[in-house]
């Protein structure tokens, strides 16, 4: 009987101990998230006041990025379009609606991921970003990635993939396999705006997204 009481006592003590350490771990994680959020906000303020290139003269709003500071998956697009410039938020137009579907197809919500662009301001008439604009703006994105430390980056389209990977290899050859950006796995895939014009690319994007989901240990939900 005494042995039994002692062993129950030990069990309770062990549980209490692991309970305390779990609480401590949770509190450290919470503090880290608060710190990350505040450092991200500092950068956003810096970006909002940016006038490093002439796009600052034509923009309505700066589109810094949006999403969770705890995101394990980050999407990087090209540049804000008209809708994004109006609202100051990334991927809110037609391409954005398709991106939302892509995110949900792998069992996540937009709020779970972080979405940003290579350029934070809209190029007039949605023209391609200029090399000088990319050079001026990319340090902001690099800082955001450094803070977020996502497990996977999904680079949407040629400009995002080629800029982060510092290559001129076409997106059609880059996509489909993981590459590495500063220790982070990077999957290049076609831009949702391209898919709106070329629906045949959707099959390839789905293959790429399945690899992303596998890397993140996500179970693909059954299609409704
Ligand atoms: N296309 C992009 O690359 N980014 C956006 O935010 C919207 C459309």
């Amino acid at each position: 009987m005494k042995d039994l009481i002692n062993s129950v006592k030990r069990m309770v003590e062990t549980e209490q101990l692991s309970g305390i350490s779990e609480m401590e771990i949770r509190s450290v994680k919470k503090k880290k998230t608060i710190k990350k959020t505040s450092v991200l906000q500092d950068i956003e303020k810096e970006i909002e006041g940016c006038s490093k290139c002439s796009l600052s003269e034509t923009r309505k709003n700066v589109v810094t990025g949006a999403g969770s500071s705890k995101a394990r998956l980050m999407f990087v697009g090209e540049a804000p379009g008209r809708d994004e410039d109006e609202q100051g938020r990334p991927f809110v137009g037609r391409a954005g609606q398709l991106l939302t579907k892509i995110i949900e197809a792998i069992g996540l919500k937009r709020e779970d991921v972080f979405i940003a662009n290579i350029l934070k301001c809209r190029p007039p008439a949605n023209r391609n970003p200029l090399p000088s604009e990319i050079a001026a703006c990319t340090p902001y994105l690099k800082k955001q990635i450094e803070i977020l430390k996502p497990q996977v980056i999904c680079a949407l389209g040629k400009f995002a993939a080629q800029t982060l990977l510092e290559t001129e290899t076409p997106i059609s050859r880059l996509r489909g396999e993981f590459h590495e950006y500063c220790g982070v796995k990077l999957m290049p895939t076609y831009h949702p705006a391209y898919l709106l014009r070329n629906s045949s690319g959707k099959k390839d994007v789905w293959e790429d997204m399945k690899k992303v989901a596998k890397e993140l240990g996500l179970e693909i939900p059954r299609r409704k």
Side-chain angles (χ1 to χ4, degrees):
M1 189 61 182
K2 207 173 161 195
D3 279 355
L4 183 66
I5 291 169
N6 278 339
S7 93
V8 170
K9 223 172 143 189
R10 270 200 303 277
M11 251 173 64
V12 171
E13 278 168 3
T14 314
E15 293 227 325
Q16 276 175 338
L17 272 178
S18 65
I20 287 166
S21 64
E22 234 175 70
M23 265 171 56
E24 277 172 354
I25 290 167
R26 248 184 273 147
S27 135
V28 169
K29 275 192 180 167
K30 208 169 174 185
K31 275 187 200 149
K32 269 194 183 167
T33 309
I34 293 168
K35 173 104 178 78
K36 257 189 183 184
T37 310
S38 106
V39 182
L40 267 179
Q41 284 168 348
D42 289 347
I43 292 184
E44 281 166 12
K45 273 196 206 118
E46 198 184 323
I47 305 172
E48 276 159 12
C50 180
S51 56
K52 283 198 214 161
C53 78
S54 62
L55 296 182
S56 63
E57 292 156 23
T58 51
R59 73 184 176 215
K60 282 191 182 149
N61 283 293
V62 180
V63 182
T64 55
S68 168
S69 57
K70 291 194 279 183
R72 294 197 296 139
L73 174 58
M74 179 174 187
F75 287 91
V76 178
E78 181 180 314
R82 195 187 48 194
D83 296 314
E84 292 76 21
D85 183 47
E86 294 277 351
Q87 297 183 38
R89 294 184 61 76
F91 282 97
V92 288
R94 275 183 73 220
Q97 284 162 19
L98 183 52
L99 178 61
T100 304
K101 283 191 187 162
I102 293 170
I103 294 167
E104 289 173 353
I106 56 163
L108 294 173
K109 298 195 187 85
R110 263 180 89 110
E111 310 87 83
D112 299 324
V113 304
F114 197 93
I115 306 173
N117 283 305
I118 294 289
L119 295 191
K120 311 300 188 193
C121 298
R122 181 193 184 200
N126 296 351
R127 64 154 168 76
N128 284 343
L130 300 175
S132 59
E133 292 161 354
I134 294 176
C137 212
T138 307
Y140 294 130
L141 175 69
K142 291 189 172 176
K143 271 196 214 165
Q144 288 174 310
I145 297 172
E146 209 180 298
I147 296 159
L148 284 163
K149 293 192 178 38
Q151 203 173 320
V152 174
I153 295 171
C154 184
L156 301 168
K158 155 188 160 146
F159 284 97
Q162 292 184 342
T163 302
L164 289 174
L165 297 174
E166 295 184 23
T167 177
E168 288 185 3
T169 306
I171 183 71
S172 56
R173 279 186 44 215
L174 290 171
R175 63 148 293 274
E177 299 298 333
F178 279 109
H179 299 251
E180 202 216 283
Y181 168 79
C182 290
V184 182
K185 294 216 165 182
L186 185 148
M187 174 63 79
T189 198
Y190 294 128
H191 194 288
Y194 168 82
L195 297 182
L196 291 173
R197 287 176 269 117
N198 303 276
S199 63
S200 60
K202 286 184 181 173
K203 205 163 47 66
D204 289 334
V205 171
W206 184 231
E207 291 308 312
D208 301 342
M209 294 314 297
K210 281 195 282 187
K211 290 183 183 169
V212 167
K214 190 169 178 211
E215 182 62 33
L216 293 169
L218 299 172
E219 210 172 300
I220 306 273
R222 286 208 191 161
R223 293 208 189 176
K224 285 173 204 156

